Amino acid sequence: MSYTLNEAAKATGKSKTTIHRALKSGKVSAIKRDNGAYAIEPAELHRVFPPVPAERNEERSIRNDTEHLRDDQGTLRIQLETIEKERERERQQLQETITDLREDRDRWRQQATALLEDKRPRGFWKKLFGN
């Protein structure tokens, strides 16, 4: 089983750049696949770079996971704040709309009440002759 560039970096505790430089300079040989990824044989890699003890590799993995969680929490916090601001803005718009509708309702109610309270006699002949 061969390593990818990323796996080789993890197995040796070196950066991907360091492994890539070793490949380019010829210190380590590897096969470049059609998709551009390297296939590095473990024996060839560890001939130049000794393997990292499993404990150290696990510590690095845990540290990286913790850093990712912190980054994820920060991103989630920012997204939550953005959503809260958007909801508050929507709440304000809805409140303004409710206020406008209530004002319109009250104006229409006043107009209807004024029309109903107009108690002038309206007989047939008065309507016909306008008296």
Side-chain angles (χ1 to χ4, degrees):
M1 171 158 158
S2 58
Y3 288 135
T4 63
L5 187 62
N6 192 36
E7 292 169 341
K10 287 180 181 178
T12 60
K14 303 292 182 188
S15 69
K16 289 194 308 186
T17 306
T18 302
I19 303 298
H20 190 259
R21 282 187 195 138
L23 292 170
K24 288 293 185 184
S25 68
K27 288 182 182 176
V28 176
S29 62
I31 298 170
K32 194 165 188 178
R33 295 185 178 142
D34 292 338
N35 63 1
Y38 286 101
I40 307 165
E41 289 300 318
E44 177 63 15
L45 177 68
H46 297 305
R47 178 180 61 79
V48 178
F49 300 107
V52 173
E55 298 164 359
R56 185 171 163 208
N57 210 5
E58 287 176 20
E59 288 174 13
R60 174 183 265 174
S61 177
I62 291 170
R63 195 173 338 122
N64 286 341
D65 289 346
T66 304
E67 290 171 5
H68 287 300
L69 285 175
R70 284 190 201 127
D71 291 345
D72 289 345
Q73 287 174 347
T75 302
L76 289 174
R77 189 174 297 116
I78 291 169
Q79 288 175 343
L80 181 61
E81 289 171 359
T82 303
I83 290 170
E84 286 175 350
K85 287 177 185 176
E86 180 65 21
R87 287 206 175 156
E88 182 59 32
R89 186 184 65 77
E90 289 174 353
R91 222 177 271 121
Q92 288 174 350
Q93 286 179 335
L94 288 172
Q95 193 60 46
E96 290 171 5
T97 301
I98 290 169
T99 302
D100 289 346
L101 289 172
R102 284 181 178 157
E103 289 173 0
D104 285 349
R105 178 203 61 196
D106 291 345
R107 274 189 247 120
W108 282 109
R109 182 180 287 160
Q110 287 174 348
Q111 188 174 5
T113 303
L115 288 172
L116 288 174
E117 290 176 353
D118 187 8
K119 301 288 183 180
R120 291 181 282 174
R122 298 256 183 204
F124 173 75
W125 296 107
K126 289 187 179 194
K127 284 184 187 176
L128 187 62
F129 295 109
N131 290 336

